[in-house]
Amino acid sequence: MNGWVLECGPGCLRCAEKYALRLRIIEKLTLVSEEVRMRMSRYLLNTLKEVPREAETLSHQLMLRSCMIKKIAAGIYTYMPIGYRVIRKIEAIIREELNRENCIELLMPAVQPAELWKESMRWDFYGKELLRFKDRKGADFCMGPTHEEIITDVVRRELKSYRQLPLNLYQIQTKFRDEIRPRYGLMRGREFIMKDAYSFDVDDKASEKSYWSMYHAYARIFHRCGLKFRAVEADSGAIGGSFTHEFHVLADTGEDTVLSCSHCEYTANIEKAECRQPDPIEHGILEKIEKKETPGKKSVEEVAEFLSVKPDKLIKTMIFSTQDGTSVAVLVRGDHEVNEVKVRNFLGLNAMELADEDLIQASTGGPSGFSGPVGLNIRILADAAVKEMENAVTGANEKDTHWVNVNPGRDFVVGEYGDFRLAEKGERCPRCDKGEYEQFKGIEVGQVFRLGEKYSKSMNCSFLDENGKDKSAVMGCYGIGVGRTAAAAIEQNNDENGIVWPVNIAPFDVMLLNLDIQDDSVNEAAQRLYDDLKSKGLEVLYDERDVRAGFKFKDADLIGLPIQVIVGKRGLKEGLAEVKVRRTGERVKESPENVPAKIEALLKNLKEQEEQRR
RNA sequence: CGGGGAGUGGCGCAGUCUGGUAGCGCACCUGCCUUGGGAGCAGGGGGUCGGAGGUUCGAAUCCUCUCUCCCCGACCA
């Protein structure tokens, strides 16, 4: 093409000095490779005007349209050059922040032998999510969905003395989980890049310290990624452990629901969110219990309407079947919902499900829709709010019949009262007296988790303490979904024209648009700008393709680099280039010499704003 | 795993009911023209119609089996 066909590179003596400078900058940025000139015509970045049918969510659509990822199979993607740059940026931030907390990076195998999983008892416990296969000798292996087994094995071989602790090891690696239903692109893939870290400490107290140091590292990481997020208290699930926080990026398309107090710091996953103890009521006259016919009225709404009472006068009775085949009744107020996670944790169960028609009939003597606690002979749990109910309505355990004027204590006995319902937005905060719950949708991008001695005990990872006594290491594990973080960032930063990358994780800083590649003076100015920007350490994608201006504008907006520099015949006539801020659409004209400084100032500004976001 | 839907060129789709030798838009290549928000005209390349079997003179189209993908639900760090 015109004038700059000659590539200069590391071998070019004329540019040797400039080159050395670039290499130094690159090292600092911890990006592995940097091309001499990021020319769009020589890059691999084919944008799509139309949205592939498979893409449901915005981030997925935009990633496909901007050529960040290509699907190879369900939940399995290639990270295309521009997508991979984003991944590397996020990884670089993670590395910096973890290293600052004295975490040490290593890399464990993706393929893991079954024997370690059998040792930790998870070979049988982990379901089909674990992709298993045999080698040529018939030995069992799996693709690692997580690395507790491997890291515990690694550390138990090395760990001898309490003097070696604390220890926190991490890796950034591709994991595989054979999800039932992968979807939403990188948001929920089967193969995905994850940072996982594991801490080892002498005791609970030290482990808690490690936990909070990771918690704070995570907060810094997501702030630096320019994301609005919340650290939420979460259910510790089947892995077991005392407490855990999930980091959720706030986005309407998130799959998780998060409740957060408007006044205090309390924030929790809806599975975990506590309900405030109900205020005691003033007791009135207890009416006489009475049977009413309620033909065909099964749901709370139907019964309430039929009997002309409010739903909160009803006691909803849910029958669950447990692992051992017994059934449990859970009572909640008619306008509340049972929180199965809370019930399951209270009962110490791994699995529990709603009873089917047969079991309901067998447990209560009546059909579903008419269950109630009166005369019920199975274990009964009740939400605290039920205790404060009077003259309530509930099923009579026979077809088309309900009791009215039912009173707890008088007409039925509850085994245990507790917090068994889902919290809702607008409710008063359980922790402070001033706030109420606000609700968010969130994308879980990270989790910090205390494992205790679960793995160190079963796999015998121990050390000698200062008294020469053998002790199990106290562990914690900490994950960040790297690809999911990228997807969440798009979910949170976009407009009708495309992606709006936060500065710190944008694939490049600047999109340089050359609008008149036939014009020598424009070429010369654009090229000089390119070199000036690069020498300032900025990452520039140079669009010098032979396409119309409109095409370049559309692509630039779609790809969403924070800053666009537009060089064209028109502006250059007045000696000016144009600088556009993608996020705000703000445009300023500057003489080319001033452009680099202007951009640096704009980027600094953007960065500060983004890192402050909450 | 239950329910629903779809597989036709790189992407988005029509054609399938009623069988007759595959088409449109975008993208790509060539030329002209145009050139600050995804231009226009002309020409061109590319598809064993997911796969296997069957029916038929003839199958993208009808039948059987199979694979893959998507959506809803249940599940899940």
Side-chain angles (χ1 to χ4, degrees):
Chain A
M1 241 162 242
N2 309 302
W4 65 82
V5 175
L6 189 79
E7 290 267 16
C8 73
C12 172
L13 288 176
R14 226 180 69 205
C15 300
E17 201 181 324
K18 214 188 297 179
Y19 224 81
L21 175 68
R22 276 185 202 148
L23 288 176
R24 274 202 302 279
I25 293 163
I26 291 154
E27 238 170 74
K28 217 169 121 196
L29 291 172
T30 57
L31 279 179
V32 161
S33 67
E34 188 73 346
E35 294 71 10
V36 177
R37 197 160 274 154
M38 278 297 188
R39 297 184 306 172
M40 274 256 301
S41 68
R42 305 301 313 149
Y43 204 55
L44 187 60
L45 204 175
N46 297 311
T47 56
L48 259 39
K49 194 147 64 166
E50 282 168 305
V51 182
R53 206 167 40 133
E54 67 186 64
E56 175 82 349
T57 55
L58 218 63
S59 62
H60 191 193
Q61 293 176 357
L62 289 170
M63 278 191 176
L64 290 172
R65 286 189 56 206
S66 65
C67 199
M68 285 181 68
I69 56 171
K70 295 284 174 188
K71 188 171 79 173
I72 293 301
I76 301 177
Y77 294 85
T78 292
Y79 303 91
M80 296 297 279
I82 202 161
Y84 192 49
R85 288 183 72 96
V86 174
I87 298 289
R88 310 248 0 155
K89 290 281 180 87
I90 295 171
E91 289 178 354
I93 291 172
I94 291 173
R95 286 195 170 94
E96 282 183 24
E97 294 302 336
L98 293 189
N99 293 348
R100 189 177 297 188
E101 297 292 340
N102 296 314
C103 301
I104 311 166
E105 185 169 8
L106 47 52
L107 184 60
M108 291 179 270
V111 173
Q112 307 183 6
E115 42 182 14
L116 286 177
W117 284 75
K118 286 175 178 160
E119 202 178 333
S120 72
M121 312 292 279
R122 285 210 291 184
W123 185 255
D124 296 317
F125 186 75
Y126 226 97
K128 287 187 178 169
E129 247 190 27
L130 186 64
L131 178 64
R132 302 155 207 251
F133 50 89
K134 292 181 191 297
D135 70 3
R136 61 164 66 190
K137 286 182 282 189
D140 287 314
F141 285 86
C142 63
M143 286 300 289
T146 175
H147 280 68
E148 280 84 5
E149 280 77 7
I150 306 288
I151 195 75
T152 308
D153 181 63
V154 168
V155 171
R156 70 179 168 186
R157 293 163 190 271
E158 308 301 324
L159 181 62
K160 290 160 177 78
S161 158
Y162 72 97
R163 292 173 198 274
Q164 291 169 279
L165 299 177
L167 187 61
N168 192 324
L169 298 165
Y170 75 96
Q171 63 174 348
I172 297 176
Q173 192 216 29
T174 297
K175 305 260 188 274
F176 194 93
R177 292 182 195 172
D178 203 354
E179 287 275 346
I180 296 170
R181 190 147 88 84
R183 56 186 136 172
Y184 306 145
L186 294 194
M187 202 85 94
R188 184 187 277 243
R190 295 149 90 202
E191 191 184 282
F192 56 98
I193 299 173
M194 178 168 159
K195 185 285 304 175
D196 49 326
Y198 304 88
S199 65
F200 295 81
D201 282 285
V202 290
D203 56 24
D204 277 339
K205 206 177 149 207
S207 178
E208 191 170 336
K209 204 174 156 202
S210 296
Y211 180 91
W212 288 110
S213 92
M214 290 303 273
Y215 178 99
H216 291 115
Y218 274 34
R220 292 197 304 273
I221 288 166
F222 295 122
H223 269 131
R224 284 185 64 186
C225 289
L227 298 170
K228 275 181 269 186
F229 69 94
R230 293 283 187 281
V232 314
E233 292 185 20
D235 176 56
S236 51
I239 302 181
S242 45
F243 61 92
T244 171
H245 285 85
E246 292 169 350
F247 286 77
H248 284 263
V249 169
L250 304 183
D252 293 337
T253 46
E255 293 185 83
D256 293 298
T257 303
V258 172
L259 292 172
S260 184
C261 176
S262 57
H263 180 76
C264 74
E265 287 296 298
Y266 185 60
T267 302
N269 192 305
I270 194 157
E271 291 179 346
K272 166 100 176 186
E274 295 164 14
C275 298
R276 196 182 172 85
Q277 272 289 330
D279 297 328
I281 52 161
E282 268 182 48
H283 289 277
I285 300 161
L286 301 187
E287 305 283 348
K288 196 171 156 238
I289 186 169
E290 200 182 333
K291 256 187 197 178
K292 290 262 180 170
E293 280 203 16
T294 50
K297 309 298 177 192
K298 292 178 144 197
S299 71
V300 167
E301 290 74 27
E302 288 166 352
V303 175
E305 199 195 335
F306 186 75
L307 296 175
S308 303
V309 295
K310 289 195 173 151
D312 65 10
K313 294 296 284 184
L314 270 69
I315 298 173
K316 184 153 58 179
T317 306
M318 309 290 279
I319 311 293
F320 291 91
S321 69
T322 63
Q323 286 154 319
D324 50 16
T326 60
S327 49
V328 178
V330 181
L331 313 181
V332 293
R333 215 169 70 189
D335 57 332
H336 291 154
E337 294 298 327
V338 174
N339 182 330
E340 286 189 40
V341 173
K342 286 179 181 174
V343 176
R344 209 185 301 151
N345 287 345
F346 180 84
L347 295 173
L349 297 172
N350 282 323
M352 187 184 86
E353 54 187 33
L354 265 178
D356 57 23
E357 192 63 44
D358 291 347
L359 186 62
I360 291 174
Q361 189 73 43
S363 313
T364 70
S368 70
F370 301 95
S371 301
V374 180
L376 193 59
N377 275 327
I378 56 174
R379 186 170 181 186
I380 299 177
L381 305 181
D383 183 68
V386 172
K387 199 173 185 177
E388 306 301 333
M389 292 176 73
E390 249 181 18
N391 300 326
V393 175
T394 187
N397 298 324
E398 59 185 89
K399 192 168 169 15
D400 297 340
T401 314
H402 278 78
W403 288 107
V404 299
N405 298 330
V406 172
N407 288 286
R410 184 190 75 177
D411 301 317
F412 64 92
V413 177
V414 169
E416 289 103 338
Y417 280 105
D419 178 3
F420 297 126
R421 68 180 178 90
L422 281 174
E424 289 168 18
K425 68 176 167 187
E427 278 180 30
R428 284 173 64 201
C429 173
R431 294 282 174 91
C432 75
D433 287 329
K434 293 182 180 162
E436 57 179 48
Y437 273 140
E438 297 175 78
Q439 183 171 311
F440 301 99
K441 284 288 181 183
I443 300 163
E444 186 191 345
V445 290
Q447 182 165 33
V448 290
F449 203 97
R450 292 182 71 188
L451 288 171
E453 299 178 342
K454 182 177 159 74
Y455 294 93
S456 53
K457 269 216 167 105
S458 65
M459 296 183 66
N460 196 26
C461 175
S462 63
F463 60 92
L464 289 184
D465 69 9
E466 62 267 46
N467 302 317
K469 266 184 67 182
D470 201 54
K471 277 179 80 174
S472 292
V474 181
M475 293 172 58
C477 70
Y478 316 89
I480 291 179
V482 178
R484 190 182 273 191
T485 300
I490 294 175
E491 223 40 77
Q492 205 176 73
N493 296 280
N494 64 76
D495 62 19
E496 66 279 7
N497 295 314
I499 303 171
V500 183
W501 282 113
V503 174
N504 284 334
I505 61 174
F508 295 87
D509 299 312
V510 179
M511 179 78 115
L512 174 61
L513 288 80
N514 177 338
L515 297 190
D516 296 282
I517 62 161
Q518 312 295 349
D519 186 311
D520 285 346
S521 63
V522 173
N523 285 333
E524 205 181 303
Q527 201 181 331
R528 201 174 319 119
L529 252 175
Y530 181 91
D531 289 336
D532 287 352
L533 291 168
K534 293 288 282 190
S535 69
K536 294 254 184 198
L538 293 169
E539 295 166 12
V540 186
L541 184 60
Y542 181 22
D543 189 352
E544 33 64 274
R545 292 173 301 171
D546 188 7
V547 296
R548 300 165 65 87
F551 207 96
K552 296 187 191 190
F553 288 133
K554 289 287 184 195
D555 267 355
D557 285 349
L558 173 64
I559 294 162
L561 304 184
I563 302 287
Q564 295 169 18
V565 182
I566 300 151
V567 185
K569 234 184 336 203
R570 198 195 272 184
L572 217 53
K573 253 185 214 157
E574 308 160 35
L576 297 173
E578 206 171 333
V579 178
K580 173 179 162 182
V581 180
R582 175 66 179 89
R583 191 177 290 282
T584 60
E586 168 195 0
R587 292 157 179 269
V588 287
K589 289 192 171 149
E590 287 283 350
S591 70
E593 308 83 76
N594 295 336
V595 164
K598 180 71 190 172
I599 289 177
E600 281 186 318
L602 285 169
L603 283 173
K604 186 164 169 264
N605 227 323
L606 278 172
K607 228 184 246 200
E608 276 167 13
Q609 282 170 24
E610 285 167 2
E611 290 182 6
Q612 298 301 316
R613 288 166 75 181
R614 278 210 48 107

